[in-house]
Amino acid sequence: MRARAWSERMSAIIINPNCTAAMTDAMLGVAKRAAPALHWEGWTSFGGPPAIQRREDGEAASPPLLVRVREAAERRAAGIVIGCFDDTALEPAALSVPVPLIGIGQAAYHLCALRGWQFSVVTTLSVSVPVIEENIHRYGLAGLLGRVRASEVPVLALEDDPDGVIDRIAAEAGAAIAEDGIDAIVLGCAGMVRVVNGLRARLPVPVIDPVEAAAGCLEWLVRADRA
């Protein structure tokens, strides 16, 4: 009886700040596999842009995202994940709810920190790099960072043609392994859930899927919050 009641309380919502519902569905599938003890829902912020690739996209996505975060809190979610690697509106979102709320970038970096791994990030476009670098510095983890590298693969290309772009991502990850003195690769886009298995098969170091990392981290935080 106690185990069933515990399970019923452990609901979680992953909120995609962009309006591409297919990406929400892909992230939801990963979250369910990575943290099956949580009851996952995937929400799309339909007021956001189709993809978040630059600072301006994140700024446009933030107001409708914060509305969705408040709705999740009203639904009494036990925990919330912001499903964008830029950790869009993470700080105001976390301050607006009484439950654990984390970003997928935040979770991936801290996973590496807990393992003591130096890491490089392989993201989508060059315009995405500054925000990611700023986030890593703000979290106090710059000492673990090799480089933030752009594969020059647009976010929506990961939805439309994942098999056609994996070579470019793998090439940039391979350069990071050869040049950056790292222990792990962090994939710098939620849409890379579609290529993570292929990259793990090709690369000789751990490949961190940020959605997977965030789901596992949230399960841990929800359990601690409910203890």
Side-chain angles (χ1 to χ4, degrees):
M1 177 68 73
R2 182 177 179 183
R4 183 167 63 250
W6 174 258
S7 179
E8 287 169 356
R9 291 197 302 268
M10 292 176 64
S11 62
I13 299 174
I14 184 164
I15 304 177
N16 178 7
N18 73 46
C19 66
T20 302
M23 193 177 299
T24 308
D25 293 342
M27 289 192 289
L28 179 60
V30 170
K32 287 180 174 179
R33 291 190 294 274
L38 295 176
H39 297 284
W40 287 96
E41 295 181 33
W43 290 11
T44 303
S45 181
F46 290 107
I52 298 173
Q53 300 182 129
R54 64 193 77 222
R55 193 182 307 275
E56 293 80 5
D57 297 331
E59 291 170 352
S62 293
L65 169 63
L66 291 171
V67 171
R68 300 247 68 187
V69 168
R70 289 191 291 272
E71 291 172 350
E74 290 168 2
R75 285 276 300 274
R76 299 187 180 276
I80 301 167
V81 171
I82 303 299
C84 176
F85 194 77
D86 286 3
D87 293 339
T88 305
L90 182 63
E91 292 178 4
L95 291 171
S96 72
V97 297
V99 298
L101 181 148
I102 59 175
I104 63 171
Q106 178 190 38
Y109 310 140
H110 282 85
L111 184 155
C112 289
L114 288 169
R115 293 300 305 273
W117 287 341
Q118 297 285 133
F119 64 90
S120 282
V121 176
V122 177
T123 189
T124 51
L125 302 179
S126 296
V127 292
S128 305
V129 170
V131 170
I132 294 170
E133 290 178 335
E134 289 168 15
N135 287 346
I136 294 168
H137 280 76
R138 187 168 66 255
Y139 299 146
L141 299 176
L144 295 176
L145 176 64
R147 282 179 58 186
V148 179
R149 292 171 167 267
S151 63
E152 304 304 346
V153 171
V155 170
L156 294 181
L158 292 160
E159 291 297 310
D160 298 336
D161 187 20
D163 292 337
V165 300
I166 189 172
D167 288 345
R168 290 157 64 185
I169 299 168
E172 196 61 43
I177 294 166
E179 300 169 8
D180 297 350
I182 57 168
D183 305 298
I185 293 289
V186 172
L187 299 181
C189 178
M192 289 184 182
V193 296
R194 298 189 183 279
V195 298
V196 63
N197 289 335
L199 293 170
R200 284 174 172 163
R202 297 188 188 197
L203 300 174
V205 301
V207 176
I208 309 304
D209 174 355
V211 177
E212 187 179 80
C217 182
L218 191 71
E219 182 177 331
W220 171 33
L221 291 173
V222 167
R223 286 185 181 277
D225 198 52
R226 297 302 181 100

